[in-house]
Amino acid sequence: MKSITIDTVALHAIALPFVEPLRTSFGEEPFKSAILIELKTTDGVTGWGEVSTEIHPGYSSETMGTAAHVLPQFLLPLVIGQTVASPTDVPALIASVRGHHMAKHGLEAAVWDAWAKANGIGLAEAFAAHLPEGHTPKGYATVGVSIGIKPSIEATCAVIQKRLDQGYRRIKLKIEPGWDVELARGVRERFPDITLMLDANSAYTLADADMLKQLDTFGLLMIEQPLAYDDIYEHRKLQPQLKTPICLDESILSADDARMALELGACRIINLKPARVGGYSESLEIYKVCVDHDAPLWVGGMMETGVGRASNLAFASLPGVTLPCDISATDRYFNPDVTEPPFVIRPDSTIPVAAGAGIGVEVLAERVHAGEHLWQAQYPYLT
Ligand code: OSB
Ligand code: MG
């Protein structure tokens, strides 16, 4: 395989209007925000990566502002001019910067794309080369859809019906205190057989255990991150009290976290967001931890643009990703997206991985520019 040498890196802070915003227990973002990374090699190959930071530090302590600070000041000087034999070399190059996983992920993702393009292979194949034999990419990912907090159960059921009609066979509902047991009961009455899960985004404490136990009667696939965003210990106390598997999202920042949470019994399922764990190299380590522990794994999302979704979809096509992923079709998020062609859901709740080298989709310069203009018009003071 060919090495690449990183020549230049351009940062594009963008805002895109959402087709349907996602209200969670910590709030709602008015726009999709991201910093798109455009990396050029000395051989003239362009790689794209997405830093999918939000505006408000609600899900993560990282924001558009922190990424706009740490990338040019600290991360880019560590990679520009460097020759990279494998994208898995990137974490060591940038290890002197602590934290800032989303910023690091976007940068590493741009290297994965450029490296895969320089070598004429798709990202799924590039990822699989770091896995044990037999972990051959499937060419598609099985997906579901994440539905935000709505004004009523009726309104929620209407969105669920629309998503089922589009082909989604796994529905995830966001919950918060006061929007939980009655919501689950109402939705289950209307849809007794769907694959249903809930995501609390850290809205509860151990004092809510009795309420959370009531959710066991609704046949849920899992409950995602019920307790504090930085907790493993109290989830360890909660999981044995529930029949419903706990899935950890926010709390898992590394392969070591995933191993600890699974071995302690703090959760039974891992939501792997490559952005949250700092890149695809660490994601591959988490994948191997889950395979070794026979733990179900799925790929979560940050409402990524087509840049981030293309590479997440490639990762989600690996066979150790055993549960439906939060990677929906383009029309669930943006009209238009910054990439072409759009991702389309098939009737069996799968999305094919883009064919072609690297991320496999084209980034349209004029759409990126429009996104930059909207960002500048709305949030000039944040980046
Ligand atoms: O908790 O999974 C989450 C989006 C932003 C922040 C947190 C979360 C989410 C999602 C998005 O649920 C799902 C998607 O990208 O389709
Ligand atoms: Mg989540």
Side-chain angles (χ1 to χ4, degrees):
M1 289 287 177
K2 249 197 262 172
S3 298
I4 57 168
T5 298
I6 299 165
D7 188 15
T8 62
V9 180
L11 303 175
H12 305 277
I14 62 163
L16 295 181
F18 279 126
V19 169
E20 181 185 325
L22 183 74
R23 198 182 129 202
T24 65
S25 59
F26 56 81
E28 178 179 302
E29 292 269 304
F31 290 95
K32 166 65 198 168
S33 57
I35 297 178
L36 298 181
I37 297 190
E38 183 181 16
L39 177 151
K40 290 198 195 309
T41 72
T42 50
D43 291 335
V45 178
T46 299
W48 286 92
E50 175 170 343
V51 180
S52 220
T53 34
E54 295 187 325
I55 298 161
H56 178 84
Y59 170 78
S60 163
S61 58
E62 286 183 84
T63 64
M64 288 290 283
T66 68
H69 166 61
V70 83
L71 277 159
Q73 296 294 325
F74 300 107
L75 291 173
L76 299 190
L78 296 173
V79 301
I80 288 172
Q82 296 291 327
T83 297
V84 176
S86 159
T88 52
D89 296 344
V90 172
L93 291 177
I94 59 181
S96 64
V97 174
R98 290 189 182 171
H100 298 281
H101 284 190
M102 293 191 181
K104 288 178 173 177
H105 163 65
L107 184 56
E108 196 194 299
V111 173
W112 278 98
D113 183 34
W115 183 89
K117 282 172 176 161
N119 285 285
I121 63 171
L123 277 183
E125 194 186 322
F127 295 145
H130 298 276
L131 294 174
E133 214 172 308
H135 285 265
T136 311
K138 297 180 298 181
Y140 64 88
T142 301
V143 304
V145 64
S146 178
I147 298 175
I149 295 168
K150 303 285 175 192
S152 67
I153 293 175
E154 208 33 56
T156 308
C157 287
V159 179
I160 294 174
Q161 188 60 59
K162 173 172 133 185
R163 297 307 180 201
L164 293 171
D165 292 345
Q166 289 173 327
Y168 296 101
R169 292 217 202 125
R170 188 231 62 188
I171 301 292
K172 158 169 150 181
L173 299 178
K174 296 288 187 178
I175 59 168
E176 65 183 359
W179 183 254
D180 37 49
V181 177
E182 289 321 306
L183 170 72
R185 193 189 318 280
V187 168
R188 260 299 176 233
E189 273 168 16
R190 177 85 186 271
F191 303 101
D193 301 323
I194 60 169
T195 302
L196 183 66
M197 60 178 282
L198 305 178
D199 186 358
N201 287 112
S202 309
Y204 300 93
T205 71
L206 213 43
D208 299 309
D210 285 336
M211 176 254 125
L212 293 166
K213 277 187 228 174
Q214 294 181 54
L215 297 173
D216 278 342
T217 55
F218 302 120
L220 302 172
L221 181 63
M222 70 188 87
I223 178 167
E224 201 180 330
Q225 196 74 32
L227 308 182
Y229 71 90
D230 54 355
D231 170 76
I232 291 178
Y233 180 68
E234 298 214 321
H235 284 96
R236 164 64 183 88
K237 292 187 178 177
L238 180 61
Q239 178 66 93
Q241 303 182 50
L242 302 181
K243 289 201 205 86
T244 307
I246 292 175
C247 171
L248 288 179
D249 172 352
E250 283 89 330
S251 297
I252 304 300
L253 300 177
S254 66
D256 285 341
D257 288 345
R259 186 180 301 107
M260 171 162 68
L262 289 169
E263 292 185 4
L264 288 175
C267 67
R268 299 193 193 127
I269 301 174
I270 300 286
N271 166 340
L272 169 58
K273 286 189 190 174
R276 192 192 64 228
V277 305
Y280 290 114
S281 298
E282 193 67 20
S283 299
L284 287 162
E285 296 307 311
I286 292 180
Y287 180 106
K288 289 185 254 181
V289 166
C290 290
V291 169
D292 287 347
H293 289 74
D294 244 329
L297 173 69
W298 55 286
V299 176
M302 291 300 298
M303 310 283 280
E304 279 88 353
T305 76
V307 172
R309 231 148 359 98
S311 49
N312 279 354
L313 204 54
F315 196 95
S317 75
L318 298 167
V321 177
T322 53
L323 287 172
C325 298
D326 268 355
I327 308 172
S328 300
T330 299
D331 67 4
R332 184 261 169 268
Y333 304 101
F334 315 111
N335 182 25
D337 201 338
V338 294
T339 56
E340 289 285 345
F343 291 103
V344 179
I345 177 125
R346 303 188 291 204
D348 62 350
S349 207
T350 63
I351 298 180
V353 173
I359 59 174
V361 290
E362 192 192 345
V363 181
L364 281 94
E366 68 275 20
R367 305 249 183 101
V368 174
H369 289 150
E372 290 182 288
H373 280 129
L374 184 58
W375 177 260
Q376 278 305 320
Q378 297 285 336
Y379 307 101
Y381 47 94
L382 283 183
T383 50

